Amino acid sequence: MRKIILTYVFLFALHAGAQESKVDLSGFKKNGSEVRINQKIITLTWPAGNNQTGKMLIDLENDHAMLKSVQLAKGKIFKEIGSDLDPAFVLTIGKRSLSPSSGGWDVFFDRVPKKPFHSYPVTIRKQNASVRTNGQQTILTIDGAHADRFKGNVEITFYNGSPLFNVAAVLSTEIDSTAILYDAGLVSKKAIWKTMAWANVQDQMQQVTPSATDTSRNLEVKYRTIIGENPGGSLALFPAPHQYFYPLDEAFNLKFTWYGQNFHKLIAGFGMGIRQDPYGDNRYVPWFNAPPKTQQRLNFFCLLDEGNATSALAQVKKFTHDDSYKAVPGYKTMATHFHNEFISDVVLAGKPVPEKPEFVDVLKKHGLDIVKLAEFHGPGHPKGPDNDRLKELGALFQQTKRLSDSKFLLLPGEEANNFYGGHWLAFFPKPVYWVMSRKPNESFVVDDPKLGKVYHVGNKEEMLKLLELEKGLAWTAHARTKASTGYPDAYKDEDFFKSETFLGAAWKAIPADLSIPTLSQRVLKLCDDMANWGLQKHVISEADIFTITHQNEMYAHLNVNYLELPNLPNYEQGWQSVLDAMRKGKFFVSTGEVLIPSFSINGKKSGETLKLTSAGTANINMALEWTFPLNFVDIVSGDGKEIYHQRINLNDTQSFGKKTFSWPVKLAGRKWVRVEAWDVAANGAFTQMIWLDQ
């Protein structure tokens, strides 16, 4: 009987019209999941790990709820967790500014909500359906999704080994210069959840008994998760932890979840889900890119649990290590580029200076070992007068020293933005007093009886000299976007850029585009370009955010550098080892969910040079650890002119795994190589370059 199910195409008439509709099973292969079709009901079961089995009944009748029943079994006894549920999406469409001077599709300085925009419900007219397998994933696709100028389908993806599934409206448009947002969730016109639950920003569980008449309300939550609880178990609904959050200067918690009736005054019925605030932090609000003919995945995840909401949330938190960066032996975590302005706004503003500032506690709780600040970005006196500038630096050094300890290193730093062009960050291995201006008769360096050496820098040549003398590093902040649009390209032939003092550039997920299976490739493409220019540069990650509080949605906007360091340096003795690890490329970048504990090619590690054989063949060894199922690895290489990608599909992985992979690779004629790894939620990690010699 099963062979018949797997090989035949089932035809049946839709209730709403005479047109016939198909359920195409030609792409369904044996992978542990099972599909049965009874008239217009598709029953799909999948192995959910820990002796559990998930089951979903999908109704293709147009006047019936799509998700007739969602169930979970421990052993062989199924319990229904939810019923009569419809995926619901609201697509908000605006206009993108695409001026080349602002970065084109890489633009950040765009204020989309200040231009006309409109929100549309995504209507789903169920048409043809298909079920296919992709390694350990099973994908159900239903045609007939539509919202204004966008059209496409609905996809539900089930992941073997976990009670996890993803729901997406996959839509595209022919219209250029389009920016979008989306809200989404599960809605029912018949049933409501017995209990709604979430964790507040103080990390305390909240529970309410909903009423069918409850008007939809937006919630400020922790872990980006809303949970519906019934006697049979709980369903936790949450977005991709980083991909869903378009880039902003602030990490404010903008009430990213909702529950209740008549959401957005566009979705009938009682539901729960995720949402975006179209006005963001009321600064620059670029939304998501939606280039024409790209398939935008408006998606969210659901996790089933046989227990209550507290149990379900505990399982969700595992996917992000409780919103912290997991320790990896031999590495220390470092985050950079924070404009908290603690010195200007608190220490030098005459306010009480807390013994334990909130921002330090927030950063520690996210598992950060090292934090490099970017103070005086707006306030402060980088060009003097000297009395003000030196007082500010003195306070910065005093407070960072005071707030550092044996387990946490808070380091001074600035976004200098003088001399070189665009925006860039300066980083020294110890406190350095310097003023970003020099009068005609003023010395480049003087010895101050109290402060020691004090530098006055008047041009790019002197800036390079200072970095060389003090063994500092510089790199381009938010390269090719924001105020660095056109950089570092504009100074790639300058001596300071070619020098060893210029690290390269910093990566942050700008822009946001839901049509790609990764976060932003903007700076990763720059990384490849710099290597093809013949320069040995590296790319670190940056947060580039301002306010840091427990109330904020910090984790969504964070990323981290895992530096290969055996020990955390002592502040008083300097942190040269931190800069050495960066300079030598001894680190990998991660959003937190995908880790690279080890990586080598023929025994050579990141930042090193590999002498290839005449045949140009090599072997990559890469240890990966992950939470969400992995999606793929991309082996990226270049020959000085072209860039090459070799994608390795990792769809046979399940949630929460670790494995050392080995892949042969042909690198004849290539000059460098690096590797990226990405999961199904667009979380990822990437190595630094290995340089090739033939």
Side-chain angles (χ1 to χ4, degrees), residues 341-353 395-396 398-399:
E341 304 301 351
F342 178 67
I343 303 303
S344 296
D345 295 349
V346 178
V347 177
L348 297 178
K351 299 178 182 178
V353 178
L396 175 63
Q398 180 187 38
Q399 290 298 319

Side-chain angles (χ1 to χ4, degrees), residues 122-415:
V122 176
T123 59
I124 303 170
R125 183 71 176 174
K126 289 175 274 190
Q127 298 175 8
N128 296 342
S130 67
V131 184
R132 60 187 172 88
T133 49
N134 179 32
Q136 293 295 301
Q137 305 167 27
T138 303
I139 302 108
L140 166 69
T141 302
I142 300 174
D143 296 337
H146 181 269
D148 187 58
R149 69 207 71 172
F150 283 79
K151 60 182 179 180
N153 56 54
V154 172
E155 285 187 358
I156 306 176
T157 304
F158 306 87
Y159 304 99
N160 285 357
S162 176
L164 179 74
F165 61 92
N166 180 271
V167 182
V170 185
L171 306 175
S172 63
T173 181
E174 299 287 328
I175 307 300
D176 201 3
S177 307
T178 302
I180 63 171
L181 288 181
Y182 76 94
D183 310 320
L186 295 175
V187 176
S188 178
K189 296 178 181 177
K190 295 182 179 180
I192 63 172
W193 298 92
K194 179 182 178 183
T195 304
M196 302 302 307
W198 62 92
N200 65 17
V201 292
Q202 287 79 40
D203 205 5
Q204 301 165 329
M205 285 299 295
Q206 307 294 301
Q207 292 184 321
V208 297
T209 301
S211 166
T213 59
D214 287 346
T215 302
S216 175
R217 58 179 291 205
N218 302 329
L219 297 172
E220 187 180 70
V221 308
K222 193 170 177 64
Y223 308 114
R224 304 158 297 280
T225 302
I226 182 76
I227 305 163
E229 184 180 292
N230 276 333
S234 301
L235 185 151
L237 191 155
F238 56 97
H242 302 281
Q243 182 196 45
Y244 185 60
F245 298 86
Y246 61 85
L248 293 170
D249 279 335
E250 295 282 8
F252 296 148
N253 193 314
L254 301 173
K255 298 184 176 180
F256 297 110
T257 62
W258 62 271
Y259 81 89
Q261 279 277 357
N262 195 24
F263 173 68
H264 217 298
K265 298 182 180 179
L266 291 173
I267 302 297
F270 185 97
M272 65 174 182
I274 57 174
R275 64 173 293 275
Q276 281 284 6
D277 187 325
Y279 296 96
D281 58 13
N282 292 306
R283 291 166 59 91
Y284 294 100
V285 186
W287 291 12
F288 293 97
N289 285 339
K293 300 182 181 180
T294 59
Q295 292 191 321
Q296 300 291 319
R297 285 186 57 85
L298 322 181
N299 74 97
F300 59 91
F301 287 89
C302 294
L303 186 77
L304 307 178
D305 190 277
E306 63 175 349
N308 60 18
T310 300
S311 175
L313 183 59
Q315 297 305 310
V316 171
K317 289 162 60 178
K318 291 180 180 179
F319 285 97
T320 59
H321 305 296
D322 292 355
D323 279 13
S324 68
Y325 291 94
K326 182 179 179 180
V328 175
Y331 292 85
K332 298 298 179 184
T333 56
M334 183 185 79
T336 74
H337 202 156
F338 295 94
H339 300 302
N340 192 48
E341 304 301 351
F342 178 67
I343 303 303
S344 296
D345 295 349
V346 178
V347 177
L348 297 178
K351 299 178 182 178
V353 178
E355 180 181 352
K356 296 180 179 180
E358 181 181 15
F359 83 94
V360 173
D361 190 47
V362 171
L363 296 170
K364 286 182 176 181
K365 286 188 175 180
H366 280 84
L368 300 177
D369 301 316
I370 306 168
V371 171
K372 179 200 174 295
L373 299 175
E375 293 285 275
F376 315 129
H377 187 61
H381 302 81
K383 295 185 178 182
D386 282 13
N387 286 341
D388 293 327
R389 169 65 172 170
L390 299 179
K391 180 180 179 182
E392 289 162 356
L393 287 176
L396 175 63
F397 301 150
Q398 180 187 38
Q399 290 298 319
T400 50
K401 177 182 176 181
R402 179 180 74 87
L403 296 170
S404 296
D405 55 40
S406 61
K407 296 182 179 179
F408 179 74
L409 199 58
L410 184 66
L411 298 180
E414 295 178 83
E415 189 172 353

Side-chain angles (χ1 to χ4, degrees), residues 448-467:
D448 185 279
K450 293 183 179 180
L451 304 179
K453 290 182 179 180
V454 176
Y455 296 89
H456 287 81
V457 177
N459 53 49
K460 60 187 177 184
E461 290 80 13
E462 292 176 350
M463 188 68 240
L464 172 57
K465 184 177 180 181
L466 170 60
L467 289 167

Side-chain angles (χ1 to χ4, degrees), residues 611-647:
K611 177 71 174 179
L612 288 171
T613 64
S614 58
T617 57
N619 202 69
I620 294 177
N621 284 286
M622 188 176 196
L624 291 174
E625 184 175 340
W626 61 91
T627 57
F628 289 89
L630 291 176
N631 191 358
F632 64 89
V633 153
D634 192 11
I635 302 170
V636 190
S637 60
D639 60 8
K641 295 181 179 179
E642 301 295 327
I643 298 168
Y644 305 88
H645 294 264
Q646 180 182 343
R647 181 173 292 192

